[in-house]
Amino acid sequence: PPNVIVILTDDQGAADAGCYGAKDLETPAIDALAARGVRFTQFYSAAPVCSPARAGLLTGKYPLRAGLTGNASSQPGGKGLPAAQVTMAEMFKAAGYTTGHFGKWHLGYRPETMPNAQGFDHSFGHMGGCIDNFSHFFYWQGPNRHDLYLNGQEIQRPGRHFADMMVEEATAFMSKHRAQPFFIYFALNMPHYPYQGDPKWLERYQHLPYPRNLYAAFLSSCDERIG
C-alpha cells in the first residue's frame, strides 16, 4: 500500500504560493508538489479558524457533526475533538498502517483527546494553538505555558527551532517504518503567529511593506521545511 503524508500549513492565505499566483513570494517546494501533482482550485477548508478546520480534515465531517465548532482550549485539561470521533489516523491504523503526528495539534488537551488516543502511534508537537518556535512557550493569553510533547509526555528542548525538530522527527519515523506502510500528519505551525522567519528570508523580503515582509519571510521558511 502507498505511504500517505498529509501536510497542513497554518493560516496560509489561499493565494500565498507561487503555484496559486503569488508574485511576491518564493515557495519552490510547494510549487514543485503542485507541478508533480494536482492543484485543487475549488477546494475549501471546513472552517476559517484552527480547531474546527482540523477536525473537519481529520474526521471528514463538517465541524458541527464532528463536535467541534470553535477553537479547542490551549490549556492542559481543555476540551477538544470528542474522543468518540473516528479520525483519519484511526482508519489508517485499522488498515495496517503505522501512524505519526508531527506538529500542531489544537484538538484537545486531555489524555483522551491528545494524538496518541486519537489513532496516532507516534506524536511529536504542541497541543495548543501556537507556540514560540524557540522557547516552545504559549504566549497568546494568560500566564506563559510551556507546550512541547513527545507521545503525551512533556519534553524540554529549548533553543531548537520547532519546525526543524518536526523534520527530524518525521525523517526518523519514516526511516524506522520504511518497510511497512505509514501515514503521517505533518501539521506545521507556520506561517501562524508568531512570525519568526529565518534571517536570510527576513533580508530577502525587507522591501515588502509591514507586516507582509514578516509573513513572507516566515512562509518561505515554512516552504524550506516542506522541501
Side-chain angles (χ1 to χ4, degrees), residues 10-11 49-51 54 71-76 103-109 126-132 137-141 145 147 162 187-194:
D10 194 3
D11 280 2
V49 291
C50 290
S51 298
R54 292 161 192 275
N71 275 336
S73 174
S74 291
Q75 299 188 37
K104 174 176 172 174
W105 181 242
H106 206 194
L107 283 171
Y109 216 146
H126 65 92
M127 298 298 107
C130 61
I131 56 169
D132 175 86
F137 270 74
F138 178 83
Y139 292 130
W140 191 268
Q141 57 184 202
R145 294 182 300 280
D147 184 359
F162 178 68
L188 285 148
N189 63 325
M190 306 163 79
H192 189 291
Y193 162 94

Side-chain angles (χ1 to χ4, degrees), residues 104-148:
K104 174 176 172 174
W105 181 242
H106 206 194
L107 283 171
Y109 216 146
R110 297 176 177 176
E112 66 270 20
T113 60
M114 289 167 69
N116 294 105
Q118 292 281 39
F120 289 100
D121 297 306
H122 185 85
S123 171
F124 169 82
H126 65 92
M127 298 298 107
C130 61
I131 56 169
D132 175 86
N133 286 281
F134 297 97
S135 70
H136 319 129
F137 270 74
F138 178 83
Y139 292 130
W140 191 268
Q141 57 184 202
N144 299 335
R145 294 182 300 280
H146 182 260
D147 184 359
L148 185 63

Side-chain angles (χ1 to χ4, degrees), residues 6-12 45-63 66 68-72 81 85-89 101-108 120 126-130 162 166 185-192:
V6 172
I7 301 173
L8 180 67
T9 60
D10 194 3
D11 280 2
Q12 181 179 353
S45 172
V49 291
C50 290
S51 298
R54 292 161 192 275
L57 172 66
L58 288 179
T59 66
K61 296 180 178 181
Y62 288 109
L68 190 63
T69 56
N71 275 336
L81 180 70
Q85 292 292 333
V86 178
T87 69
M88 191 187 304
H101 153 260
F102 304 92
K104 174 176 172 174
W105 181 242
H106 206 194
L107 283 171
F120 289 100
H126 65 92
M127 298 298 107
C130 61
F162 178 68
M166 282 180 60
Y185 173 47
F186 196 75
L188 285 148
N189 63 325
M190 306 163 79
H192 189 291

Side-chain angles (χ1 to χ4, degrees), residues 169-180:
E169 292 281 342
T171 300
F173 179 88
M174 287 186 281
S175 297
K176 181 178 180 180
H177 299 289
R178 62 186 304 167
Q180 58 197 118

Side-chain angles (χ1 to χ4, degrees), residues 17-41:
C19 56
Y20 282 94
K23 303 299 184 185
D24 60 347
L25 297 170
E26 294 183 28
T27 56
I30 294 173
D31 296 348
L33 287 173
R36 296 196 300 268
V38 175
R39 284 190 314 120
F40 293 95
T41 57

